[in-house]
Amino acid sequence: MELEFSHFLYGLFTILIIVTMAFRKGVVLPTLLGTFLVAWAFKGSVISGFTAIFNANLVAAKELFNIFLIITFMVALLHALKDLGADRRMIEPIQKFMTNAHVAFFVLIGVTYVISLFFWPTPAVPLICALLVPAAVRSGLPVMVAAVAIALAGQGMALSSDYIIQVAPELSAKAAGVETGLLADRALVLSVITGTIAIALVYFWHRKSFRTKQDPINEKEIQAMQGLEESHRTSKSNSITAWSKVFAVLVPLSMLAVMITMISSKLTSGRMGSFEGGDGAAFIGGVAVILLLLASVAFGKHKALDYIGEHITEGFVFAFKAMGPVIPIAGFFFLGSSDFSGSILSLGDESAPAFLFDIVKASQDILPQSTILAGLSILVIGIITGLDGSGFSGLPLTGSLSGALATTGADPTTLAAIGQMGSIWTGGGTIIAWSSLIAIAGFCGISVMDLVRKNFVPVMLGLTLSTIIALLIW
């Protein structure tokens, strides 16, 4: 297909943003400028460039607000539990299983992987970050390493195979014209290989930073993680200790009940139950709000009318302070997808451009005919399509290209599985900031860009090695 000047401009700014990230600099400026110039070039009007900047940020805010909202409610609940003193009591039993930082690291990975495999990572993150991460940090695991472990196990290893729900394998298989079951099996193997390599690298690179349980830095990281300061509120209840014990039991039991309900839904409704992805997060968020109401009343009685608003405000401030810069970055990459570019460019009923996907499709004719090079090319294309922050939207493209490259001697099922790895490990949320990765960073109180940098090298090495292994064994 024929590319226009706006396509080249979009590609140039994409490269510029990636290079800027590599040099550990902020990318908000180039994303805003890129959005302005691409829209101006596409529509031929400088006014369209101005409006596109606003529209891109608005569209991104709408798409990401569910993540901001779940962070807000969970942080607000943690503030209410902090008032009662239930936050510390709540993790004391869990702490017994996490005897040291090394054990905590692998417990986080195992639990995250299992939950995310059944329900996708979105509902898993609030549960794990609220209950397990504080216990892991108290055992001496640095909060950044804990965040990396959750991202690699959930957004990476579990979501990239999607072995239980199988939305991703179906998208890839239909586009490639291959059997879904076989592709799902190979994707599972590749996801485990990639995840094992990435997790092993993270462990060996960061194990020297693991601390003892007695290290005072542990408590400081927990305070920063939850956005908690010393409470200025005073209790109106004479039985604060009793309520503290009640909520230390009630909150974990409520989250356990959520998990049982979600599992029951899956068993009765089939592999696509009622609580995958956003629905699961909404369920957890609603439960968190009710617990927040109860905790506020238990602590402040009639003062809860004021306290509940303060907690939610604190939650919103924490969420936007930590994640606000992601919105303009997401806006630029949403501009590259036809799903959002129409709204950003105010095109109405006109056909919306897909700058990112058009660039990839235009490169189809120059893809190499060597089996190894074809596999690596599909991996790179998957990574590029994942830059839109979805991970799933690029699967029809990588699948169709895999089917087209079957003439090179490479197995199209293997190529489609490789493309699925590249797209979901990227867009699903391990190496780009404008994805669900912001939820992990938000709950852990760390910079999402720093988390991306920690993940990048292990993930890229894992993807490259798993691709080579796949081409050799299949």
Side-chain angles (χ1 to χ4, degrees):
M1 67 175 298
E2 186 177 349
L3 299 180
E4 299 178 358
F5 175 66
S6 54
H7 288 84
F8 290 105
L9 204 56
Y10 189 87
L12 176 64
F13 270 93
T14 299
I15 295 171
L16 177 62
I17 289 166
I18 294 172
V19 171
T20 304
M21 289 173 60
F23 281 96
R24 299 174 177 268
K25 301 296 181 182
V27 294
V28 172
L29 191 154
T31 54
L32 290 173
L33 181 61
T35 302
F36 172 72
L37 293 177
V38 170
W40 183 4
F42 179 79
K43 298 198 71 175
S45 167
V46 67
I47 295 177
S48 296
F50 291 125
T51 57
I53 292 178
F54 180 85
N55 289 339
N57 282 271
L58 181 61
V59 167
K62 288 179 180 177
E63 290 298 313
L64 297 176
F65 190 70
N66 62 323
I67 298 175
F68 282 71
L69 202 57
I70 187 68
I71 293 173
T72 295
F73 289 150
M74 293 302 290
V75 170
L77 173 60
L78 290 171
H79 275 276
L81 296 176
K82 174 73 173 178
D83 287 344
L84 289 168
D87 58 330
R88 182 180 291 272
R89 293 180 187 273
M90 187 171 64
I91 65 172
E92 283 176 354
I94 304 172
Q95 188 75 55
K96 295 177 182 177
F97 295 98
M98 296 185 175
T99 54
N100 57 53
H102 301 273
V103 173
F105 179 77
F106 291 105
V107 168
L108 278 180
I109 288 170
V111 174
T112 302
Y113 181 72
V114 171
I115 297 177
S116 299
L117 201 59
F118 280 86
F119 305 109
W120 287 344
T122 308
V125 168
L127 289 170
I128 293 164
C129 289
L131 297 178
L132 295 185
V133 172
V137 173
R138 278 209 170 92
S139 71
L141 186 67
V143 69
M144 177 62 76
V145 180
V148 170
I150 294 170
L152 296 183
Q155 270 88 334
M157 194 159 59
L159 188 61
S160 64
S161 70
D162 194 16
Y163 194 71
I164 301 299
I165 303 172
Q166 291 199 359
V167 172
E170 281 192 6
L171 288 173
S172 297
K174 285 180 181 179
V178 298
E179 183 186 344
T180 301
L182 180 59
L183 191 148
D185 291 340
R186 294 189 179 181
L188 177 64
V189 173
L190 290 183
S191 69
V192 171
I193 293 173
T194 304
T196 301
I197 293 171
I199 289 167
L201 289 173
V202 169
Y203 177 76
F204 285 109
W205 287 346
H206 296 286
R207 70 187 189 281
K208 291 184 179 179
S209 67
F210 291 4
R211 301 183 293 264
T212 63
K213 284 187 174 182
Q214 294 74 31
D215 197 312
I217 298 177
N218 298 343
E219 287 300 322
K220 292 180 180 178
E221 284 201 341
I222 289 177
Q223 294 294 320
M225 167 189 154
Q226 299 174 350
L228 297 177
E229 299 174 353
E230 290 300 318
S231 176
H232 60 275
R233 291 174 280 270
T234 55
S235 175
K236 299 299 178 181
S237 173
N238 296 324
S239 53
I240 189 70
T241 302
W243 281 118
S244 175
K245 293 178 180 179
V246 167
F247 278 90
V249 175
L250 179 61
V251 172
L253 286 181
S254 299
M255 294 305 173
L256 179 62
V258 167
M259 288 304 305
I260 292 173
T261 303
M262 292 167 73
I263 292 171
S264 174
S265 171
K266 180 171 288 296
L267 293 176
T268 56
S269 304
R271 61 185 179 86
M272 279 303 290
S274 304
F275 296 107
E276 275 70 30
D279 289 338
F283 181 32
I284 294 169
V287 171
V289 170
I290 297 302
L291 291 172
L292 168 63
L293 297 176
L294 295 175
S296 298
V297 171
F299 178 77
K301 294 188 176 179
H302 68 278
K303 283 286 186 178
L305 295 171
D306 297 320
Y307 290 167
I308 183 72
E310 292 177 7
H311 289 316
I312 290 180
T313 299
E314 289 164 345
F316 270 117
V317 169
F318 178 80
F320 276 89
K321 186 177 181 180
M323 303 295 109
V326 173
I327 291 176
I329 302 172
F332 174 80
F333 284 96
F334 285 171
L335 179 60
S337 171
S338 59
D339 293 337
F340 305 107
S341 60
S343 299
I344 294 172
L345 297 171
S346 304
L347 295 179
D349 296 330
E350 297 179 39
S351 178
F355 297 110
L356 192 62
F357 282 38
D358 289 345
I359 293 170
V360 173
K361 287 180 180 178
S363 66
Q364 181 176 353
D365 295 334
I366 60 173
L367 290 178
Q369 298 302 304
S370 161
T371 300
I372 295 292
L373 292 178
L376 293 174
S377 297
I378 289 293
L379 175 63
V380 171
I381 289 171
I383 292 171
I384 293 173
T385 58
L387 291 176
D388 71 344
S390 166
F392 284 72
S393 60
L395 297 182
L397 176 58
T398 57
S400 61
L401 287 178
S402 299
L405 286 172
T407 56
T408 64
D411 180 17
T413 304
T414 302
L415 292 178
I418 291 170
Q420 183 174 312
M421 291 300 105
S423 183
I424 297 181
W425 273 88
T426 304
T430 62
I431 58 174
I432 59 171
W434 47 97
S435 64
S436 57
L437 191 66
I438 63 175
I440 298 176
F443 282 119
C444 293
I446 58 176
S447 165
V448 68
M449 299 305 294
D450 288 342
L451 181 55
V452 166
R453 294 183 187 105
K454 293 288 185 183
N455 289 340
F456 186 80
V457 174
V459 168
M460 293 304 297
L461 287 175
L463 287 172
T464 303
L465 291 174
S466 68
T467 297
I468 294 172
I469 292 171
L471 295 171
L472 291 176
I473 65 176
W474 290 314

